[in-house]
Amino acid sequence: MYAVIATGGKQYRVEEGKCLRVERIDAEEGAEIELDRVLLVGDGDAITIGRPFVDSGRVAATVRGHGRSKKVMVVKFKRRKNYLRRRGHRQDYTELEIKSISAGRKEDISAS
């Protein structure tokens, strides 16, 4: 079973038991959180698509930790103008472990 969730302005495909990094979520390490912005739930050939979200669709996850990603260098440069600006950026993230996926009522759509 898999699902597509929306969090932090991005969409992620998640499966039970898998880990993923998402934009930082304010939650303690080890806390159980519930993501309710579920866009799609798939279980074999049965696919439930939300409009825009799946009714009563839930993804339960555990917060494994917080961190910062690798540095990305941003460089602004204009030739012959003595203009060079360098700036580094490290994005905060939260690592989640997906515990369970549940969908509300089913609207089955067969893949053609």
Side-chain angles (χ1 to χ4, degrees):
M1 181 175 237
Y2 67 94
V4 176
I5 61 169
T7 181
K10 298 180 177 80
Q11 297 176 3
Y12 301 93
R13 184 181 193 270
V14 298
E15 295 179 23
E16 293 179 3
K18 300 286 183 171
C19 295
L20 77 145
R21 289 182 176 180
V22 298
E23 298 295 319
R24 184 160 177 97
I25 297 174
D26 291 330
E28 298 285 328
E29 287 188 29
E32 297 282 333
I33 63 170
E34 190 172 88
L35 304 166
D36 58 350
R37 296 180 53 165
V38 180
L39 302 169
L40 178 140
V41 176
D43 188 14
D45 289 337
I47 298 173
T48 304
I49 300 173
R51 295 187 185 115
F53 304 115
V54 175
D55 294 335
S56 68
R58 299 283 184 261
V59 174
T62 303
V63 177
R64 292 184 60 189
H66 302 287
R68 298 184 78 189
S69 59
K70 290 185 177 181
K71 185 177 282 191
V72 176
M73 293 302 297
V74 179
V75 178
K76 295 181 180 182
F77 175 77
K78 294 184 181 179
R79 62 185 189 152
R80 298 188 305 264
K81 304 297 181 191
N82 196 22
Y83 180 83
L84 174 64
R85 302 290 181 264
R86 291 188 185 136
R87 176 172 287 220
H89 174 75
R90 293 181 68 191
Q91 185 68 35
D92 294 328
Y93 67 83
T94 299
E95 191 165 343
L96 300 177
E97 182 177 357
I98 306 302
K99 294 294 184 185
S100 65
I101 299 171
S102 64
R105 64 184 170 88
K106 297 278 185 181
E107 291 179 28
D108 295 333
I109 298 174
S110 300
S112 304

